[in-house]
Amino acid sequence: MRYRNIILLLFISTTFSQTQVVIVEEMFMDAPYVGEFTTTNTKYASDNLFKQEMQIEVGSFLVRMAMGGNKKAGSIIDGNSKLRTVYDINEEEYAEENFQSIIENDGKPKLKMMDNAFGGGSSRNSNEDENEDEDSSENNESDDNDVDNNEVNRTINNNFEKIGEFLAKKVTTEMMGRSGRVVIEEWFTMDTSLFHYALDVESKLVSSYGGSAQTTPRSFSEPMLRSAGHEFESVEGRLVKYKMTQKDDDDGFKMSWEIKQAKKEPFNQSDFILSKDYKKVDELN
């Protein structure tokens, strides 16, 4: 019986090590004067390994040229080799730093993927728990003061909608801001196991060099309502889709974000290894 238990534990450990979670997020933004931006973030998480690749596509030719073209970059955190690698997919270049050097820099990586073109990392601890008290309100301070305290309408649809691979509940929040009437639509799912796994892998790796992992806000509307002093009903779950539009202005700001894919699949070591064609540099431009 003792040997059977040992074999069972080894089997479970081996099975776990042979899987990975892949999550694809897409954000679209259309703003006056700068035009359209589409950002795609693909995350890979496995035992002691985490990778993310980010791509930004700019619709405006002038803005794209000013940025030096569309961007593709990534990073790999390897807990086995104690290395953090950042790389430029377009230039086929990479740079490395070990965990000890990050620890000596107060847990802040020195190497950046692309000058924080995608928002960089977070310097604070964040929790993706559905009951998080602050709901990442500090990340939304710039928007909180843009809410009229009197004109807010919030609707929760108790029927579930199919958003990609998830069953989700829709919440619509309509409020009056300085730029006109703003409508925020959010979809929440209770199927959160894959997200929690990816976050747990990233958080453990980042904390091993004294840092804090960046997380998606639990909600965009709730911190704004809370800051404006409004009471509201919260919805449990994890955000899988978000849309914001200025209702009274066809040419106003528009933004959307969505989980395009979240799946568990067999471990593929090549997903965490750069091609030999990449050139090592001290830092990315």
Side-chain angles (χ1 to χ4, degrees), residues 252-276:
F253 179 82
K254 300 179 182 68
M255 187 174 81
S256 63
W257 173 90
E258 184 176 354
I259 297 289
K260 289 294 186 179
Q261 185 183 76
K263 63 180 180 179
K264 182 179 180 181
E265 63 183 20
F267 176 70
N268 184 358
Q269 188 175 10
S270 63
D271 284 334
F272 300 91
I273 299 176
L274 291 179
S275 167
K276 294 181 180 179

Side-chain angles (χ1 to χ4, degrees), residues 17-33:
S17 67
Q18 291 179 342
T19 62
Q20 65 186 37
V21 168
V22 181
I23 298 174
V24 181
E25 306 172 358
E26 183 178 279
M27 185 185 76
F28 172 80
M29 183 176 69
D30 186 0
Y33 308 113

Side-chain angles (χ1 to χ4, degrees), residues 116-135:
N116 290 328
F118 295 99
S122 173
S123 60
R124 65 182 180 86
N125 285 315
S126 186
N127 189 334
E128 201 179 60
D129 182 26
E130 284 76 21
N131 297 317
E132 184 178 359
D133 292 334
E134 296 302 323
D135 286 321

Side-chain angles (χ1 to χ4, degrees), residues 38 40 54-58 64 66-73 88-90 114-115 117-118 285:
T38 301
T40 304
M54 298 182 177
Q55 174 178 338
I56 182 167
E57 297 181 349
V58 184
R64 185 167 65 250
M67 291 180 56
N70 293 329
K71 303 290 186 179
K72 289 184 179 181
D88 187 318
I89 299 174
N90 293 332
M114 52 175 69
D115 296 328
F118 295 99
N285 296 323

Side-chain angles (χ1 to χ4, degrees), residues 199-234:
L199 177 64
D200 185 56
V201 169
E202 182 187 14
S203 297
K204 286 181 178 178
L205 287 168
V206 172
S207 64
S208 67
Y209 57 68
S212 302
Q214 183 181 11
T215 61
T216 302
R218 206 207 72 81
S219 168
F220 287 88
S221 63
E222 292 182 6
M224 299 170 67
L225 295 173
R226 182 179 293 109
S227 179
H230 286 282
E231 295 185 358
F232 58 89
E233 181 181 352
S234 184

Side-chain angles (χ1 to χ4, degrees), residues 243-260:
K243 290 177 65 177
M244 184 177 75
T245 56
Q246 289 181 312
K247 188 174 181 180
D248 299 332
D249 188 352
D250 292 336
D251 298 323
F253 179 82
K254 300 179 182 68
M255 187 174 81
S256 63
W257 173 90
E258 184 176 354
I259 297 289
K260 289 294 186 179

Side-chain angles (χ1 to χ4, degrees), residues 22 32 141 147 161 199 235 263:
V22 181
E141 287 295 332
V147 180
E161 298 182 24
L199 177 64
V235 175
K263 63 180 180 179

Side-chain angles (χ1 to χ4, degrees), residues 66-82:
M67 291 180 56
N70 293 329
K71 303 290 186 179
K72 289 184 179 181
S75 67
I76 300 172
I77 308 176
D78 188 337
N80 301 309
S81 62
K82 306 295 183 184

